[in-house]
Amino acid sequence: MGFLRKQLLSVIEWQDESNDILVYRFPLKNREEIMNSSTLVVRESQVAVFMHKGEIADVFGAGTYKLTTENIPFLTKLLSLPTGFNSRIKAEVYFVNTKQFIGQKWGTQNPIMMRDADFGSIRLRGFGTYSFKVDDVKTFMKEVFGTNGIYKVSNLSQQCKSILIQYISDAIGESGVSALDLVANYKEIADKIVEVSAEEFKKLGLKLCNVVIENLSLPEEVEKTLDERSKIGILGDKMGTYTQYQTAQAIRDAAQNPSGGNLAGLGIGLGAGAQVGNLFANSISSAKDVKKEDAKCVKCGAKLAKSIKYCPECGASQNIKCPKCGEAVSSSAKFCANCGEKLIKLKVCPKCNKQLNSNAKFCPECGEKI
């Protein structure tokens, strides 16, 4: 009787405490067999699969089941339980974990080639995470699992990553998004990857649930070019500005490497000094040109060059002087360039263009009312 009790199983269940087991074979040891009226407990995110002679006999979802010939027809056919005592044929029981396995990492071992409108043919590297789960248990057991006692996520991750990288390359290439706009389209590209790869994962009985693109990086030389372009964009999108920037960089490098103080180094230093002088002179000249463009007529507001004495639009005199030192100043100036006096907005006679004090009510030259 003791031997017979070992043959009988009353409860079949799997309390999963792992984070990476996909399939677990319930241990039938010491010639144990499934007894009629045994209880099968299948928890949420689990599926129980009964195998007989290497074939799937039945699949049970979450719930509690009484294994009797009355409510489980396959037991009558396969296990032949004529009595409520014990069975003559053993069946194997596998528990399949159907929860999502999240936080799986992917990364490009080799660069992804793509054609870009701004940079031509470039190479991208990327990394991120993805999640998947077993969606079709029967297909998964037939195509992937085999007859292992335990099947872990690590046994499947390389295959999943290979499929994923293939569709990532396709999705990026077919998106038509330039390299500079990739960051703004990570979510859209990831959703496209999930969509187009669904059929390939389905063949394995799996479902790709989510893809996260954490980074797509350009080659180092392209990133340096982008950094240079950003610096030029801050300085101004002009060829002169770019030339000045490059000259300044070359001067700095030459100054930091004086070649041990010999005559050649001295020549480089003198040349660098001359270049610095020219560079600052050009910069000041450019600044003056900008200032000239900003000068306006004191009467009608027309744009004027600084050297213009009379407005070509209204004929008004532009000879405005500092009230403290008498130095000619621009109509738009806020301080005198000669003495630093803060300038107030001066009045000009609308009839004779005579410069007036701010509190004048009549022109002292022609008597015009202001």
Side-chain angles (χ1 to χ4, degrees):
M1 294 299 295
F3 172 77
L4 291 177
R5 290 192 186 97
K6 290 183 180 179
Q7 314 293 20
L8 308 179
L9 293 178
S10 57
V11 178
I12 302 172
E13 63 178 340
W14 176 39
Q15 297 181 0
D16 180 20
E17 298 180 356
S18 69
N19 294 319
D20 63 343
I21 295 181
L22 278 167
V23 182
Y24 170 78
R25 182 173 60 192
F26 188 81
L28 295 174
K29 301 178 180 179
N30 300 322
R31 300 178 59 84
E32 292 173 339
E33 297 178 351
I34 298 173
M35 147 185 169
N36 192 18
S37 298
S38 292
T39 301
L40 172 66
V41 179
V42 184
R43 291 173 172 78
E44 292 291 342
S45 74
Q46 290 181 353
V47 170
V49 180
F50 278 69
M51 304 279 290
H52 177 66
K53 293 183 178 180
E55 296 183 359
I56 296 176
D58 211 342
V59 177
F60 297 87
T64 301
Y65 306 88
K66 278 289 184 182
L67 303 181
T68 64
T69 56
E70 288 78 11
N71 54 29
I72 308 296
F74 90 92
L75 288 176
T76 301
K77 181 179 180 181
L78 296 179
L79 300 183
S80 302
L81 297 177
T83 68
F85 193 57
N86 70 328
S87 65
R88 295 198 302 266
I89 303 174
K90 292 192 298 184
E92 294 179 322
V93 183
Y94 293 89
F95 286 90
V96 181
N97 210 332
T98 58
K99 71 178 182 180
Q100 281 194 43
F101 291 91
I102 62 175
Q104 306 301 308
K105 298 184 181 297
W106 66 266
T108 54
Q109 293 183 353
N110 298 308
I112 300 172
M113 295 295 297
M114 68 170 288
R115 191 179 302 278
D116 185 76
D118 297 320
F119 304 106
S121 297
I122 59 174
R123 294 169 292 129
L124 293 175
R125 289 186 179 275
F127 61 88
T129 60
Y130 68 97
S131 62
F132 73 95
K133 68 176 183 178
V134 176
D135 190 53
D136 186 335
V137 174
K138 290 185 177 181
T139 301
F140 176 75
M141 295 292 286
K142 291 178 181 179
E143 301 295 332
V144 179
F145 172 66
T147 59
N148 298 290
I150 292 180
Y151 197 81
K152 295 186 176 182
V153 174
S154 57
N155 300 124
L156 191 62
S157 59
Q158 186 58 48
Q159 178 67 16
C160 289
K161 283 193 289 186
S162 298
I163 297 174
L164 190 61
I165 295 299
Q166 174 186 340
Y167 284 97
I168 287 174
S169 303
D170 288 346
I172 292 175
E174 294 175 2
S175 67
V177 178
S178 67
L180 297 177
D181 297 327
L182 281 175
V183 175
N185 291 272
Y186 279 179
K187 181 66 169 61
E188 291 75 10
I189 295 174
D191 291 343
K192 185 66 175 179
I193 293 167
V194 173
E195 177 185 345
V196 298
S197 63
E199 192 62 31
E200 192 70 24
F201 279 93
K202 186 177 181 180
K203 294 178 182 178
L204 301 177
L206 303 175
K207 179 180 178 180
L208 182 64
C209 302
N210 184 41
V211 174
V212 176
I213 300 175
E214 296 183 20
N215 180 264
L216 290 173
S217 59
L218 294 166
E220 184 178 354
E221 58 271 17
V222 177
E223 291 183 349
K224 287 182 179 179
T225 302
L226 286 175
D227 291 341
E228 295 294 325
R229 178 181 292 185
S230 299
K231 293 177 183 178
I232 300 305
I234 295 173
L235 296 174
D237 190 14
K238 296 181 180 179
M239 187 61 185
T241 305
Y242 178 78
T243 303
Q244 292 177 2
Y245 173 77
Q246 293 291 348
T247 303
Q249 295 292 319
I251 292 170
R252 182 198 63 185
D253 294 340
Q256 292 176 351
N257 184 23
S259 301
N262 56 23
L263 293 178
L266 179 60
I268 293 174
L270 292 174
Q275 289 293 333
V276 170
N278 292 335
L279 183 61
F280 278 104
N282 292 335
S283 300
I284 294 172
S285 176
S286 299
K288 288 182 177 179
D289 291 340
V290 172
K291 202 167 186 178
K292 288 178 183 179
E293 293 175 358
D294 292 338
K296 296 181 180 180
C297 174
V298 296
K299 184 176 181 181
C300 67
K303 291 184 178 181
L304 305 173
K306 188 176 180 181
S307 59
I308 297 298
K309 295 182 178 180
Y310 294 91
C311 176
E313 296 290 333
C314 64
S317 174
Q318 306 300 310
N319 187 20
I320 301 176
K321 297 181 179 180
C322 172
K324 182 177 180 180
C325 66
E327 181 73 16
V329 295
S330 170
S331 60
S332 59
K334 296 182 180 180
F335 294 90
C336 175
N338 186 49
C339 66
E341 179 73 8
K342 184 176 181 180
L343 303 176
I344 60 174
K345 189 173 182 181
L346 301 177
K347 292 183 178 180
V348 178
C349 176
K351 184 176 181 179
C352 66
N353 296 326
K354 176 69 176 178
Q355 182 177 325
L356 307 175
N357 294 327
S358 60
N359 58 354
K361 296 181 179 180
F362 294 91
C363 176
E365 187 70 24
C366 64
E368 179 73 9
K369 186 176 181 181
I370 305 303

